[in-house]
Amino acid sequence: MNAKNYSNELAEAINAREYLQEQWKAFEMVYIRRIMGITSIDLGYKLQLPIIGRLLRWSAERMIHSEGKHRNPVRADGHFGQVIPLEEAKIILGNLAAEPIIENYCMCRWMQRGIKEACCINFGLLSGVIEKLPRFIPKDTKYRLDRDEAIAHIEEHNKKGYVATVWFQPVPYINAICSCENPECGGLRLRNDFGLHTVYKGEYVAEVDPDRCQACGICVTKCQFGVLRLVQSLKRVIVDINKCFGCGVCRHACKYDAIKLAPRDNYPALRGVY
Amino acid sequence: MFPKKSPKVTIDYTKCGEKGQVDPRECAKCLKVCDPAIFILHESPNMPIDPVDPKYWRITPVWLSLCNMCMKCVKVCPLGAISVSR
Ligand code: SF4
Ligand code: SF4
Ligand code: SF4
Ligand code: SF4
Ligand code: SF4
């Protein structure tokens, strides 16, 4: 992990403040606005159109990973994330995240479900941008967190079954750790339903120890990606590693300590596949 | 070869939205009832934009290809503002 990618100096150097202010003041418009003359409305149909679909997919991927000077914040250029296990989220919050650290309302759950839940942890410069927007700031709870509080909160969300993700905004500046649900999270939605690389899988995959597994099935209910399946005849859970995001939330549910995260690279078929 | 057309989902903005009887932020029933979560709540583009604290909101059905035409949104809407068709 590279501490430089969290620093406020980096943020200033790449003009992140301006980018973030523009992006956040109208965040809920990101799917409604026209991008290259086309909105996200009925994106599923548009992506399937023979030529325009290929062009759209190409330009969307290019935008998501843009490092260019002229990236456009209202299209969310250079904004993407990666799934991380709880252990790494704690290291980032405990050591690397720039202060102040705030926990604001999740925009995805607000836009997609009309629910305000404070579970989006942002740091440094981005905190200052979000603090000025009252609709994202919890009224009745403490939203500025010290490092220990931030760690306690991410642990609570993760144990509930929310997937921890770290976000570049804009790349290479890292400034948020989110606790997401599928399909409410806009990033996971674009990845899982439309095949765009807005969120990368983590560096790990789940492994179930057949000797420890008691076939209780509880972990199956925790996985948001349909990776785990209880095979009654085998009396254990099997893992579809191709679908696994390596979030590790299934582990918290297992009373028998039967699930571990193993490096993705241990599986030749998954090397370099995120 | 053109792909399958998505279902058509429309909201009557004279009933729900910036000029309707209901503020979609208060109701939000359709957002919650839809399993594939195809709706997006956002500030209305037809009103002066208030970037700090937007007052006017509406809902747009965005992820149309994922609509399975279960009609739960049509049934749940207290104003009968939603229609779903092929
Ligand atoms: S990325 Fe996750 S936590 Fe952050 S706003 Fe989206 S769903 Fe919410
Ligand atoms: S929770 Fe643990 S014991 Fe239960 S099925 Fe999953 S791996 Fe097996
Ligand atoms: S099986 Fe993989 S994706 Fe599913 S909860 Fe476990 S680690 Fe996460
Ligand atoms: S018909 Fe069903 S799937 Fe389609 S928008 Fe309404 S609730 Fe969602
Ligand atoms: S259910 Fe009907 S009234 Fe309620 S938010 Fe949706 S469209 Fe508006």
Side-chain angles (χ1 to χ4, degrees), chain B residues 10-12 15-16 22 27-30 33 39 71-83:
Chain B
T10 54
I11 296 181
D12 182 344
K15 292 178 175 158
C16 175
V22 163
C27 172
K29 288 197 165 75
C30 52
V33 81
F39 298 100
M71 301 296 165
K72 287 179 188 157
C73 57
V74 175
K75 285 186 204 112
V76 84
C77 178
L79 304 175
I82 307 178
S83 65

Side-chain angles (χ1 to χ4, degrees), chain B residues 14-33:
Chain B
T14 63
K15 292 178 175 158
C16 175
E18 66 278 4
K19 293 191 179 114
Q21 316 141 40
V22 163
D23 182 337
R25 291 175 296 178
E26 304 293 321
C27 172
K29 288 197 165 75
C30 52
L31 298 172
K32 295 187 172 79
V33 81

Side-chain angles (χ1 to χ4, degrees), chain B:
Chain B
M1 277 285 290
F2 279 83
K4 207 173 83 189
K5 278 248 193 274
S6 304
K8 230 190 252 150
V9 184
T10 54
I11 296 181
D12 182 344
Y13 293 122
T14 63
K15 292 178 175 158
C16 175
E18 66 278 4
K19 293 191 179 114
Q21 316 141 40
V22 163
D23 182 337
R25 291 175 296 178
E26 304 293 321
C27 172
K29 288 197 165 75
C30 52
L31 298 172
K32 295 187 172 79
V33 81
C34 179
D35 281 2
I38 75 130
F39 298 100
I40 296 279
L41 173 67
H42 59 95
E43 69 176 307
S44 171
N46 293 356
M47 304 297 274
I49 298 289
D50 177 347
V52 175
D53 194 9
K55 304 270 179 316
Y56 304 101
W57 294 72
R58 59 160 61 180
I59 291 171
T60 299
V62 170
W63 314 116
L64 297 172
S65 61
L66 305 173
C67 168
N68 54 38
M69 302 187 81
C70 68
M71 301 296 165
K72 287 179 188 157
C73 57
V74 175
K75 285 186 204 112
V76 84
C77 178
L79 304 175
I82 307 178
S83 65
V84 176
S85 64
R86 261 265 167 255

Side-chain angles (χ1 to χ4, degrees), chain A residues 24-32 40-50 108-115 132-135 183-184 186 189-190 193-194, chain B residues 1-7 25 28 30-45 49-54 57 60-66:
Chain A
W24 275 76
K25 72 186 186 195
F27 204 97
E28 294 93 337
M29 297 295 278
V30 65
Y31 305 117
I32 310 298
S40 290
I41 296 171
D42 205 6
L43 185 67
Y45 177 77
K46 289 169 187 164
L47 284 175
Q48 283 179 57
L49 291 168
C108 300
R109 287 175 179 86
W110 169 240
M111 293 159 70
Q112 301 227 97
R113 295 294 192 192
I115 289 171
K132 297 199 177 69
L133 304 170
R135 66 189 187 280
E184 283 68 25
R189 147 74 32 93
L190 290 172
D193 292 326
F194 300 106
Chain B
M1 277 285 290
F2 279 83
K4 207 173 83 189
K5 278 248 193 274
S6 304
R25 291 175 296 178
C30 52
L31 298 172
K32 295 187 172 79
V33 81
C34 179
D35 281 2
I38 75 130
F39 298 100
I40 296 279
L41 173 67
H42 59 95
E43 69 176 307
S44 171
I49 298 289
D50 177 347
V52 175
D53 194 9
W57 294 72
T60 299
V62 170
W63 314 116
L64 297 172
S65 61
L66 305 173

Side-chain angles (χ1 to χ4, degrees), chain A residues 2-237:
Chain A
N2 182 351
K4 186 169 165 280
N5 289 355
Y6 303 81
S7 76
N8 283 336
E9 292 92 88
L10 173 67
E12 295 296 350
I14 62 176
N15 259 331
R17 187 187 302 275
E18 219 175 294
Y19 171 97
L20 290 168
Q21 266 158 359
E22 280 307 306
Q23 186 182 46
W24 275 76
K25 72 186 186 195
F27 204 97
E28 294 93 337
M29 297 295 278
V30 65
Y31 305 117
I32 310 298
R33 206 173 261 122
R34 276 170 201 282
I35 297 172
M36 303 187 352
I38 296 174
T39 71
S40 290
I41 296 171
D42 205 6
L43 185 67
Y45 177 77
K46 289 169 187 164
L47 284 175
Q48 283 179 57
L49 291 168
I51 292 169
I52 198 170
R54 226 167 294 162
L55 198 72
L56 266 182
R57 192 175 288 280
W58 173 81
S59 58
E61 296 274 359
R62 229 175 52 131
M63 265 167 19
I64 294 164
H65 304 290
S66 164
E67 293 208 39
K69 275 234 173 327
H70 301 293
R71 59 186 149 212
N72 180 348
V74 298
R75 309 193 300 223
D77 293 13
H79 180 37
F80 65 93
Q82 184 178 25
V83 169
I84 51 172
L86 179 59
E87 295 83 338
E88 288 181 8
K90 285 179 169 178
I91 293 171
I92 294 172
L93 291 171
N95 305 285
L96 300 169
E99 291 184 83
I101 298 173
I102 66 166
E103 186 173 50
N104 54 274
Y105 290 133
C106 158
M107 314 77 76
C108 300
R109 287 175 179 86
W110 169 240
M111 293 159 70
Q112 301 227 97
R113 295 294 192 192
I115 289 171
K116 289 202 168 179
E117 179 163 359
C119 58
C120 223
I121 301 179
N122 290 285
F123 8 111
L125 210 107
L126 181 55
S127 300
V129 171
I130 299 173
E131 273 180 339
K132 297 199 177 69
L133 304 170
R135 66 189 187 280
F136 296 121
I137 300 300
K139 279 192 194 68
D140 312 318
T141 52
K142 185 168 178 270
Y143 71 89
R144 274 207 181 203
L145 306 180
D146 64 33
R147 291 190 190 276
D148 290 338
E149 288 166 334
I151 288 170
H153 285 215
I154 194 75
E155 183 151 358
E156 191 182 308
H157 303 320
N158 211 255
K159 293 204 164 148
K160 205 194 265 188
Y162 294 173
V163 173
T165 50
V166 59
W167 291 88
F168 292 92
Q169 216 178 344
V171 64
Y173 179 54
I174 297 178
N175 56 14
I177 292 191
C178 277
S179 289
C180 311
E181 288 179 288
N182 183 32
E184 283 68 25
C185 170
L188 290 172
R189 147 74 32 93
L190 290 172
R191 166 87 201 231
N192 289 323
D193 292 326
F194 300 106
L196 297 173
H197 281 75
T198 42
V199 184
Y200 284 94
K201 292 178 175 175
E203 307 288 341
Y204 308 90
V205 285
E207 259 178 14
V208 174
D209 181 341
D211 298 328
R212 284 176 179 253
C213 179
Q214 303 296 309
C216 72
I218 292 175
C219 59
V220 178
T221 66
K222 285 289 175 182
C223 179
Q224 305 211 23
F225 308 102
V227 174
L228 302 173
R229 195 153 58 86
L230 175 59
V231 181
Q232 291 290 5
S233 56
L234 265 179
K235 297 198 181 52
R236 72 169 176 94
V237 156

